[in-house]
Amino acid sequence: MILFLTVEDVLAMDTDQIEKFGESYGVRNQGLLESAIAQPEAIFGGKFLHQSLFDQAAHPR
């Protein structure tokens, strides 16, 4: 079973990194973030568009 990251997961990791290393908070484009996070879950005809975990990780858009 594959567990995919959620927008909330990614934002929590981002916040953690900002607190550790500095930078400004905020998301430039929420829609693009949501699209990138949802992409590995894309399915067509009942099958993932990117079959392996490596392919899913390599195609962030």
Side-chain angles (χ1 to χ4, degrees):
M1 180 173 145
I2 301 171
L3 297 177
F4 293 99
L5 295 173
T6 66
V7 172
E8 292 78 19
D9 293 333
V10 173
L11 290 175
M13 289 186 284
D14 183 53
T15 298
D16 180 62
Q17 294 299 296
I18 290 170
E19 289 172 357
K20 287 181 182 175
F21 302 109
E23 194 53 60
S24 59
Y25 291 93
V27 175
R28 185 182 304 188
N29 187 315
Q30 185 75 23
L32 288 178
L33 175 64
E34 292 170 3
S35 176
I37 293 170
Q39 187 281 329
E41 296 182 61
I43 294 175
F44 181 78
K47 294 184 179 184
F48 286 114
L49 292 180
H50 305 289
Q51 293 296 307
S52 75
L53 290 175
F54 297 107
D55 287 339
Q56 289 171 349
H59 294 91
R61 51 185 161 90

